[in-house]
Amino acid sequence: MARNSRSVFSVDVSGLEPSREQSVSARIRDRLRTAIRSGALVGNARLPSSRTLARDFGVARNTVDDALGQLVSEGYIVRRRGSGSFVSPRLPEHDAPPLVPEREAEGAGAAVTRPRLSHRALSLRTHPGHSSPARSIPFTPSLPPLRHFPRDVWRRLLGREAARPGSDYWGYGASNGLPALREAIAAHASAMRAVRCTPEQVVVVTSTQQAVELAGKALADPGDRAWMELPGYPPVRHCLRAVGVDVVDVPVDDEGLEVDAGRRLAPDARLAYVTPAHQYPLGCEMSLARRKALLAWAREAGAYVLEDDYDGDYRYEGRPIASLQGMDDAGRVVYVGSFNKLLFPGLRLAYAIVPEALVGAFIDVKHVADGHTALLTQGVLAAFIQEGHLARHLRRARATYDERRRAFLEEAAVLDPWLEFGPARAGMHVTARFREHLAGRVDDKAVSEACAREGIEVHPLSRYGATGRGGLVFGFAGATRAATRTGLQAVRRVLEGRAQRGIA
Amino acid sequence: MARNSRSVFSVDVSGLEPSREQSVSARIRDRLRTAIRSGALVGNARLPSSRTLARDFGVARNTVDDALGQLVSEGYIVRRRGSGSFVSPRLPEHDAPPLVPEREAEGAGAAVTRPRLSHRALSLRTHPGHSSPARSIPFTPSLPPLRHFPRDVWRRLLGREAARPGSDYWGYGASNGLPALREAIAAHASAMRAVRCTPEQVVVVTSTQQAVELAGKALADPGDRAWMELPGYPPVRHCLRAVGVDVVDVPVDDEGLEVDAGRRLAPDARLAYVTPAHQYPLGCEMSLARRKALLAWAREAGAYVLEDDYDGDYRYEGRPIASLQGMDDAGRVVYVGSFNKLLFPGLRLAYAIVPEALVGAFIDVKHVADGHTALLTQGVLAAFIQEGHLARHLRRARATYDERRRAFLEEAAVLDPWLEFGPARAGMHVTARFREHLAGRVDDKAVSEACAREGIEVHPLSRYGATGRGGLVFGFAGATRAATRTGLQAVRRVLEGRAQRGIA
């Protein structure tokens, strides 16, 4: 193979002059990822040093280091101390079907030509487990217990609203949402989360994901950077990447996102995504100092904070943490809330509350994305909120989840020899890390898979990009005490067996 | 002002080295657009020659020409034969609120810092008239007559499906849609449009826009190019641009998209958007020769064709034009259909039928965009189709629209002195061009505005990027014969007055 077109380790190193609209580092990352996914680079293969790679690609070493760092955080590459970088033995998309790598189309004679997907679409395949929707078993995180939702009330309102004469629910709707729903949301968020807004600042969307995507489009151009929590919620990372935004991982400690690290890693980012009320997956809340530091950075950098308050309505201990949005005097926070977890996931209604100056842009990007959100459901939700059903449902759900949380924490004592639980003062999940003595002896993905075989869903902490000892994420809201006890015993058996055998 | 940072005509010419993920031409285009929008370049201002601009920016002349060409097609710049390029006296966003240009954030002392929108969001502001939803007046294009939809049937199915036990409609759903709906759609599209597919190839989305967006993400990376019909449907252009795809305008003649022109303008495009059954807005259908040429190009280039069959179900004369998808043997066509125009716009249900090899990627991009589409509505639509209500509704609607089409064409004879009507064999709209003698004397935007003051909605043809004599787009499906007659008389009065006074 000719020098300058393919290096010894079967990655195309040609044509990296930045003529197309992607940085050199991103292109190196994409090529390495494609090579790994296509099998050109096999698991456990040792990569050349970054110095060698830099020479092969004809670029600076830190450009290569950037690309490798991204692939480490995506799980394609592992670093072994003192011995270099290796292709991960277990690819992040292990549960995805085998991929046909990008190729030139074949001649016109071929009956069906090969697919040619975009790099961004290929990179999304790293998202695990979305082919089958979440089932209701212990301990699925983020799945609300559906039997507690007052379906009879919802059905009654649905019938009533559908029978309303006129065409409010049938013709085209406003891209920012039904006025009645925007008013109800503004009132709810002000009362419950100390958000300061008018109904004009509310933009109704289908999901948190859509709100993130709209923010990505309105506030960043392709190639612009965004801070993302690490560990953090992978769909948000993928969502931003899908609209061309470069995601920069910023570490999280027990005070939340490390703003100083973000300033060092990407001072010019256009956007920072955070879960300040209840970090996902670690469960901590962002300290006041960090909140202030984050807002100060946004103000100075002319950047925006995307506050995902995904379960801010569920708090069981201590005083409620007010929203970041309520602290912001400079119009730098986009607040995102969702009804899909509060009510039921099949609903698909969420919202962004945006600074006044951004309202027009959010309406524009929502308009071109899908016109507007379905109308009848918006009317039903507006009635559900205005007539007090949401507040009632939240009160009941909060009491139920709190009871389940307490039961979980009591029963979870059986896992004490292996797991160290993090904060569980809010939300619907709690995260535990493996104890020191298991370090290097237990792989959280393998534990998660073994639990799945027992009918238990626990997410491996490494799925969220966490490094270190690994751990497990438990949703506690969906299981009764009896199911919780049985489920935790099953997890215990798995851990016990693995720890004894010392199987990774 | 220092050379190398700002040219004499107040546009920043500094820092164009292609270090960020955008081509130089796109960056020049964005800067000029921002300068025009912010008022730094005022209406009618003459631009320096492209030679001078190329020197100022320090780039090749054809790079500048590319940028100028884009701005001409967006309506920011007009070319006057023999005298050069000028800032358009009437900006495309004339109906948008004044914009604060992108700026560095102010000091931390400022109470509210200035908004800083992305270039792509700023470029979306060119989309006209989406702030208020379409009203039901003559001759709003694309608004189905809502009173013909059998709401009682829909309400009955809604009540029945909402009462179904189990959690199929309440928990998380599959990203590609409810299996029952995918089956119903596959059967409908096969029977009505000669689409060849299995239910596994169907991906349920909220709207044609969303299908276009998913295709843009799955098949193109930021900076990749896509062919777009000119004249064509602006929201599709904006939708692609919002996900970072560079839109290349390809002219349309009375055989549809000029494939040879596309090959010349952007042979390497990843995607071509077409409306082959009924071109929007011109109303022609794509000839067989062009269809074959388009598929051949896609096969050779490894590109994809995005077939928007937005009103393929309504055909009144001649034999139905089969879908492009049905002609494709090479897996290069993504077919898009929507129920929002067939049933009612508030619904928000549409679909893409994708080649087998792309199914996984479409599911991935749908998943990260918004998880999945709302579930209960999917169940209701599945029942509506399976129980024969869709077929019955289409038969009735087709008969009604055909009657209205005939009435429209008869009554439209009053406009004969001014307008030359295009084909009206299908769909819900017809387009007319001003006759030769009005060339240069009547501006279609001004006519459209004058009609709006009479309570009539006719879209100016120039809104769709058409050049030349200008014209008007009439939706005929929403108006009774009486309303049609009154409406056309009003248009006649407007045209008569304008033609006499010779007012542009």
Side-chain angles (χ1 to χ4, degrees):
Chain A
M1 272 171 277
R3 171 80 176 81
N4 240 358
S5 86
R6 199 168 269 280
S7 87
V8 285
F9 75 112
S10 33
V11 171
D12 181 7
V13 295
S14 66
L16 276 170
E17 58 285 353
S19 57
R20 294 173 63 212
E21 304 196 356
Q22 205 182 18
S23 73
V24 170
S25 155
R27 296 179 70 196
I28 292 176
R29 177 196 64 197
D30 289 350
R31 289 198 184 171
L32 288 171
R33 195 198 286 119
T34 301
I36 294 171
R37 296 184 49 72
S38 69
L41 287 176
V42 297
N44 288 317
R46 184 178 175 153
L47 294 176
S49 70
S50 60
R51 185 189 303 269
T52 308
L53 284 171
R55 197 199 52 213
D56 283 359
F57 278 112
V59 300
R61 193 166 157 189
N62 63 359
T63 305
V64 168
D65 286 336
D66 278 358
L68 294 177
Q70 277 292 325
L71 292 169
V72 168
S73 81
E74 291 174 11
Y76 286 97
I77 290 179
V78 291
R79 287 198 172 119
R80 293 184 190 143
R81 207 182 298 271
S83 55
S85 297
F86 297 81
V87 175
S88 173
R90 170 172 221 123
L91 296 187
E93 69 282 14
H94 56 83
D95 54 349
L99 242 205
V100 182
E102 179 178 4
R103 253 177 229 193
E104 288 313 306
E106 290 167 5
V112 172
T113 47
R114 295 193 184 239
R116 187 162 151 186
L117 299 174
S118 64
H119 288 291
R120 56 177 156 189
L122 288 174
S123 82
L124 298 183
R125 295 248 162 151
T126 58
H127 182 72
H130 63 265
S131 45
S132 55
R135 296 151 298 164
S136 191
I137 56 174
F139 299 97
T140 310
S142 317
L143 182 66
L146 297 174
R147 76 178 56 178
H148 293 281
F149 181 73
R151 279 196 207 178
D152 51 338
V153 174
W154 189 264
R155 275 203 304 271
R156 181 168 56 74
L157 297 176
L158 189 64
R160 188 186 80 193
E161 295 302 313
R164 224 179 255 292
S167 60
D168 284 0
Y169 299 144
W170 305 83
Y172 286 100
S175 295
N176 54 345
L178 216 59
L181 181 57
R182 289 191 284 105
E183 278 168 34
I185 287 171
H188 171 77
S190 305
M192 303 289 290
R193 305 294 302 130
V195 166
R196 293 179 298 174
C197 71
T198 65
E200 284 65 44
Q201 290 174 256
V202 177
V203 179
V204 176
V205 295
T206 57
S207 54
T208 298
Q209 290 296 104
Q210 187 174 60
V212 169
E213 170 159 332
L214 298 184
K217 289 174 179 171
L219 305 173
D221 282 305
D224 281 346
R225 302 201 283 177
W227 295 1
M228 169 77 201
E229 297 173 326
L230 188 79
Y233 187 60
V236 166
R237 178 189 312 273
H238 289 91
C239 181
L240 289 170
R241 201 186 278 160
V243 294
V245 176
D246 253 17
V247 175
V248 175
D249 293 322
V250 178
V252 170
D253 64 16
D254 55 11
E255 287 191 61
L257 183 114
E258 295 180 28
V259 177
D260 286 345
R263 280 183 185 260
R264 269 197 313 276
L265 291 164
D268 62 344
R270 307 295 317 120
L271 207 60
Y273 169 86
V274 285
T275 50
H278 189 222
Q279 206 273 336
Y280 198 89
L282 298 184
C284 52
E285 60 250 16
M286 196 174 212
S287 69
L288 186 64
R290 288 282 172 81
R291 287 164 181 256
K292 286 184 174 163
L294 182 61
L295 291 175
W297 166 75
R299 221 164 37 227
E300 288 162 31
Y304 292 91
V305 175
L306 193 51
E307 175 179 25
D308 181 355
D309 201 28
Y310 70 102
D311 61 5
D313 284 304
Y314 296 127
R315 180 150 197 95
Y316 315 109
E317 290 176 19
R319 110 198 138 77
I321 309 292
S323 65
L324 253 183
Q325 197 271 3
M327 289 176 61
D328 168 35
D329 288 322
R332 309 312 301 184
V333 175
V334 173
Y335 174 95
V336 178
S338 173
F339 294 102
N340 299 324
K341 285 195 190 71
L342 289 188
L343 304 183
F344 57 96
L347 174 63
R348 312 324 286 161
L349 281 175
Y351 56 98
I353 295 177
V354 306
E356 273 172 30
L358 302 185
V359 170
F362 270 73
I363 292 176
D364 287 334
V365 289
K366 170 69 179 170
H367 181 77
V368 303
D370 63 3
H372 60 83
T373 302
L375 296 179
L376 176 59
T377 325
Q378 290 190 57
V380 175
L381 179 58
F384 191 84
I385 300 174
Q386 279 161 347
E387 296 168 27
H389 303 294
L390 174 64
R392 195 170 308 125
H393 173 62
L394 283 180
R395 269 199 308 276
R396 282 194 203 142
R398 206 181 287 119
T400 305
Y401 298 175
D402 190 18
E403 203 182 299
R404 291 180 170 190
R405 179 183 69 99
R406 290 166 194 273
F408 180 91
L409 294 174
E410 280 169 37
E411 302 290 343
V414 299
L415 301 181
D416 214 46
W418 303 282
L419 291 173
E420 192 180 331
F421 281 88
R425 293 182 290 271
M428 296 161 67
H429 81 273
V430 55
T431 293
R433 285 185 190 269
F434 292 138
R435 289 197 182 273
E436 196 69 61
H437 67 91
L438 293 180
R441 295 176 54 212
V442 177
D443 171 49
D444 58 7
K445 287 200 181 76
V447 170
S448 166
E449 284 161 21
C451 288
R453 289 191 291 270
E454 307 279 327
I456 300 296
E457 185 172 350
V458 284
H459 288 187
L461 188 52
S462 59
R463 172 184 294 185
Y464 303 101
T467 50
R469 278 176 281 150
L472 301 171
V473 179
F474 297 82
F476 56 72
T480 60
R481 181 183 275 260
T484 295
R485 182 180 302 138
T486 317
L488 289 170
Q489 292 292 351
V491 177
R492 179 191 158 179
R493 281 194 304 278
V494 167
L495 284 171
E496 209 162 34
R498 303 229 144 215
Q500 276 168 8
R501 284 177 291 155
I503 295 169
Chain B
M1 270 170 278
R3 173 82 175 79
N4 239 356
S5 86
R6 198 167 270 279
S7 87
V8 287
F9 74 112
S10 30
V11 172
D12 181 6
V13 295
S14 65
L16 275 171
E17 58 286 354
S19 57
R20 293 173 64 210
E21 305 195 354
Q22 206 182 18
S23 73
V24 169
S25 156
R27 296 179 69 195
I28 292 177
R29 176 196 66 197
D30 288 351
R31 289 198 184 171
L32 288 170
R33 194 197 288 119
T34 302
I36 293 170
R37 297 185 48 70
S38 69
L41 287 175
V42 297
N44 288 315
R46 182 179 176 155
L47 293 177
S49 70
S50 59
R51 184 188 305 270
T52 308
L53 284 171
R55 198 200 52 213
D56 283 359
F57 280 111
V59 299
R61 192 165 158 189
N62 63 359
T63 305
V64 167
D65 285 336
D66 278 358
L68 293 177
Q70 277 292 325
L71 292 168
V72 168
S73 80
E74 291 174 14
Y76 285 96
I77 290 179
V78 291
R79 289 198 170 117
R80 293 182 191 143
R81 208 181 300 269
S83 56
S85 297
F86 296 81
V87 175
S88 172
R90 172 173 221 121
L91 295 188
E93 69 284 13
H94 55 82
D95 54 348
L99 242 206
V100 180
E102 180 180 3
R103 256 180 225 190
E104 290 311 308
E106 288 168 5
V112 173
T113 48
R114 292 187 187 247
R116 187 163 153 186
L117 300 175
S118 64
H119 289 291
R120 57 177 156 190
L122 289 173
S123 82
L124 299 182
R125 295 249 163 152
T126 57
H127 181 74
H130 63 263
S131 45
S132 55
R135 296 151 298 165
S136 191
I137 57 174
F139 298 98
T140 309
S142 318
L143 183 65
L146 297 175
R147 75 177 58 179
H148 293 281
F149 181 73
R151 278 196 210 180
D152 50 340
V153 173
W154 189 264
R155 273 204 305 271
R156 182 168 53 74
L157 297 177
L158 189 63
R160 188 185 80 192
E161 295 302 312
R164 224 178 254 291
S167 60
D168 283 2
Y169 299 144
W170 306 83
Y172 286 100
S175 294
N176 53 345
L178 216 58
L181 181 58
R182 289 190 284 107
E183 278 168 32
I185 287 171
H188 171 77
S190 305
M192 303 289 290
R193 305 294 302 128
V195 166
R196 293 179 296 175
C197 70
T198 65
E200 284 64 44
Q201 290 173 255
V202 177
V203 179
V204 176
V205 296
T206 57
S207 54
T208 297
Q209 290 295 105
Q210 187 174 60
V212 170
E213 170 159 334
L214 297 185
K217 289 176 180 170
L219 305 173
D221 282 305
D224 282 345
R225 303 202 282 179
W227 295 3
M228 169 78 202
E229 298 174 327
L230 188 79
Y233 187 60
V236 166
R237 179 188 313 274
H238 289 92
C239 182
L240 289 171
R241 201 186 279 158
V243 295
V245 176
D246 253 19
V247 175
V248 176
D249 293 321
V250 178
V252 170
D253 64 16
D254 55 12
E255 289 190 60
L257 183 113
E258 295 180 28
V259 177
D260 286 345
R263 281 183 185 261
R264 271 197 312 278
L265 291 164
D268 62 344
R270 309 295 317 119
L271 207 61
Y273 169 87
V274 286
T275 50
H278 189 222
Q279 205 273 336
Y280 198 91
L282 299 183
C284 52
E285 59 249 17
M286 195 174 213
S287 69
L288 186 65
R290 286 283 172 79
R291 287 164 182 256
K292 286 183 176 165
L294 183 61
L295 291 175
W297 166 74
R299 220 163 36 226
E300 288 162 32
Y304 292 91
V305 175
L306 194 51
E307 175 179 26
D308 182 356
D309 201 28
Y310 71 103
D311 61 6
D313 285 302
Y314 297 126
R315 179 149 198 99
Y316 316 107
E317 290 176 19
R319 114 198 135 76
I321 308 293
S323 64
L324 253 183
Q325 197 271 1
M327 290 175 62
D328 169 35
D329 289 322
R332 310 312 301 183
V333 175
V334 173
Y335 174 95
V336 179
S338 173
F339 295 101
N340 299 324
K341 285 194 190 68
L342 289 189
L343 304 183
F344 56 96
L347 174 64
R348 311 326 284 159
L349 281 175
Y351 56 97
I353 295 177
V354 306
E356 272 171 31
L358 301 186
V359 169
F362 270 73
I363 292 177
D364 287 334
V365 290
K366 170 69 178 170
H367 181 76
V368 304
D370 63 2
H372 59 84
T373 302
L375 297 179
L376 176 59
T377 325
Q378 289 191 59
V380 176
L381 178 58
F384 191 84
I385 299 174
Q386 280 160 346
E387 295 167 28
H389 302 294
L390 174 64
R392 194 170 310 127
H393 173 62
L394 283 181
R395 270 198 307 276
R396 282 194 203 143
R398 206 181 285 120
T400 305
Y401 298 175
D402 189 17
E403 202 182 301
R404 291 181 171 188
R405 180 182 69 100
R406 290 165 195 275
F408 180 92
L409 294 174
E410 280 170 38
E411 301 290 345
V414 298
L415 302 181
D416 214 46
W418 303 283
L419 290 174
E420 191 181 332
F421 281 87
R425 293 183 289 272
M428 296 161 66
H429 80 273
V430 56
T431 293
R433 285 184 190 271
F434 292 137
R435 291 196 181 276
E436 196 68 63
H437 67 91
L438 292 181
R441 296 175 55 213
V442 177
D443 171 50
D444 59 6
K445 287 201 182 75
V447 171
S448 166
E449 283 160 22
C451 288
R453 288 190 291 272
E454 306 280 325
I456 300 296
E457 184 172 352
V458 285
H459 289 187
L461 188 52
S462 60
R463 172 184 295 186
Y464 303 100
T467 51
R469 279 176 280 150
L472 301 172
V473 179
F474 297 81
F476 56 72
T480 60
R481 181 183 274 262
T484 296
R485 181 180 301 136
T486 317
L488 288 169
Q489 293 291 352
V491 178
R492 179 191 158 180
R493 283 195 302 277
V494 168
L495 284 171
E496 211 162 36
R498 302 230 144 214
Q500 276 168 7
R501 284 177 289 153
I503 294 170

